[in-house]
Amino acid sequence: MSPLGLRQVYDRLLHAQGPQGWWPAETPVEMAIGAILTQNTAWTRVEVAMANLRGAGLLDARRLADLPTDVLAKHLRPSGYFNLKARRLKALAAFLADELDGDPSRLARMPLDQARARLLAVPGVGRETADSILLYAAGHPIFVIDAYTRRLVERLRLADPTAPYDDLRDRFERELPRDAALYNDFHAQIVIHAKDRCRKKPRCQACPLRPDCAVASGGTE
Ligand code: SF4
């Protein structure tokens, strides 16, 4: 069994799952808010917190930045770690409101390295969160690495799953064309695959990657 190429992995997932049209948000600012709320939390819980914010008219960077932290934390309670996330969301919202007129899609006007450095300087914004915003809100061609990506990398023996974030990101970006639409859909395919089949305890029966998977070939189902 030889490791699959990344393009083969993507093509098989796309064929099995269809185009995903991600990220699940209606506006770039909603997308950026979701990128903070989804840290260490399932998306279903994020959706409840997002509905709270929407109901309170708070899907707006300036209003979020100006809201007292304890008031914001109450809205975020369903997403878990709500006090921490309230502080992080206010910091990101202040950055967006002060420097981008509240619109994270304006990061598209900056060179990628500069936009990434600006986001990473915001307290609570790590690489995965920054790259999600850069890719999904601003359309920059940068591959997002998350826990699901590491799981798939390990099971298909694509790379060292414990490698530093930027090493893995670089691995994807070197092997694939620099194409934001491809990175957008590939990351979405990985997330859907991890939720539907490649769980911690995987359901390998109908997996399109099964013939090339170290875990499945070992008989784990
Ligand atoms: S065969 Fe199983 S473990 Fe391997 S990628 Fe598919 S779902 Fe995951």
Side-chain angles (χ1 to χ4, degrees), residues 151-152 155-156 193 197-199 202-205 207-217 220-221:
R151 182 189 294 166
L152 192 64
R155 290 177 173 175
L156 296 179
H193 174 64
R197 295 193 184 93
C198 203
R199 302 175 172 193
R203 299 172 171 176
C204 303
Q205 208 61 44
C207 177
L209 304 168
R210 183 184 171 110
D212 300 279
C213 178
V215 171
S217 64
T220 304
E221 293 264 340

Side-chain angles (χ1 to χ4, degrees), residues 34-199:
I36 293 285
L37 298 189
T38 199
Q39 293 173 346
N40 301 308
T41 303
W43 187 256
T44 48
R45 297 178 68 190
V46 173
E47 285 177 330
V48 181
M50 291 290 277
N52 288 347
L53 295 177
R54 186 176 290 108
L58 289 170
L59 294 177
D60 174 271
R62 184 78 272 160
R63 284 188 213 135
L64 283 173
D66 291 344
L67 203 65
T69 308
D70 59 330
V71 176
L72 179 55
K74 284 182 187 150
H75 290 294
L76 304 187
R77 186 176 282 270
S79 72
Y81 306 99
F82 48 92
N83 287 317
L84 177 65
K85 288 182 181 176
R87 290 195 297 277
R88 289 180 173 180
L89 186 51
K90 274 177 63 74
L92 177 63
F95 166 72
L96 296 177
D98 294 346
E99 303 197 33
L100 300 171
D101 201 21
D103 182 2
S105 70
R106 292 192 176 203
L107 289 162
R109 300 176 186 176
M110 294 179 206
L112 174 54
D113 286 353
Q114 185 186 330
R116 193 174 195 237
R118 299 275 292 274
L119 275 173
L120 288 173
V122 176
V125 175
R127 287 175 171 79
E128 183 185 331
T129 301
D131 294 351
S132 296
I133 294 169
L134 290 166
L135 177 62
Y136 287 103
H140 275 295
I142 191 161
F143 203 93
V144 177
I145 303 294
D146 64 359
Y148 295 144
T149 312
R150 289 183 186 275
R151 182 189 294 166
L152 192 64
V153 159
E154 179 174 20
R155 290 177 173 175
L156 296 179
R157 295 182 178 159
L158 298 170
D160 175 3
T162 66
Y165 181 99
D166 282 325
D167 289 2
L168 269 183
R169 180 177 62 78
D170 191 52
R171 165 82 169 75
F172 277 77
E173 291 176 8
R174 269 189 289 111
E175 190 171 324
L176 296 166
R178 283 233 158 213
D179 180 345
L182 172 63
Y183 295 176
N184 177 323
D185 195 60
F186 198 166
H187 178 67
Q189 296 290 345
I190 290 171
V191 172
I192 299 300
H193 174 64
K195 288 182 173 170
D196 290 351
R197 295 193 184 93
C198 203
R199 302 175 172 193

